[in-house]
Amino acid sequence: MSGVLVAITCALCLVLCGWAVLTVARDRRVGRALLTGLTVVELSVLATVVDGLVALATGTRPVELATSVAYLVVAPFIIPAGTFWALADRSRPSTLVLAVACFAVVVIAYRALLLFSVTR
């Protein structure tokens, strides 16, 4: 699993997390620009997942294989679930769900990188 790709994904997620918090602080709702940013983050997450799956297919075996696979399976669904929630609720605090979702992706991506760095 590429550390550079995980770093890019984490940086994008942290930027979007801050953007979502700023949107709430300005008393705004989720707009098209934020949704576009979330699309870019989701593409980055998908690239990271593909990178992890390629690493598994080429013989990299993390010590905690089940946990690593679970992170790769769950990661692509976090941003869309948070986006769906924020768009369905449409209240001001629902935008904070996007911040939490972006931060959760940071934690999952970094943890997956750590798991893939310890192999058998």
Side-chain angles (χ1 to χ4, degrees):
M1 198 164 191
S2 171
V4 174
L5 190 55
V6 171
I8 291 169
T9 301
C10 289
L12 287 172
C13 285
L14 289 174
V15 167
L16 262 293
C17 181
W19 191 355
V21 169
L22 185 63
T23 301
V24 171
R26 294 179 60 208
D27 198 18
R28 308 268 180 178
R29 293 188 181 176
V30 178
R32 189 178 306 258
L34 186 58
L35 291 174
T36 303
L38 289 168
T39 303
V40 171
V41 167
E42 182 65 19
L43 291 174
S44 175
V45 169
L46 289 173
T48 304
V49 168
V50 168
D51 185 39
L53 292 174
V54 167
L56 285 174
T58 58
T60 302
R61 292 288 178 247
V63 175
E64 297 181 27
L65 182 62
T67 305
S68 301
V69 170
Y71 282 150
L72 293 177
V73 168
V74 168
F77 296 107
I78 293 175
I79 297 292
T83 304
F84 176 74
W85 185 346
L87 292 176
D89 190 358
R90 300 303 281 179
S91 66
R92 187 182 84 138
S94 69
T95 308
L96 287 176
V97 172
L98 295 176
V100 172
C102 288
F103 191 73
V105 169
V106 170
V107 171
I108 287 174
Y110 182 68
R111 179 72 175 130
L113 178 66
L114 291 178
L115 288 174
F116 272 88
S117 65
V118 180
T119 59
R120 288 186 221 185

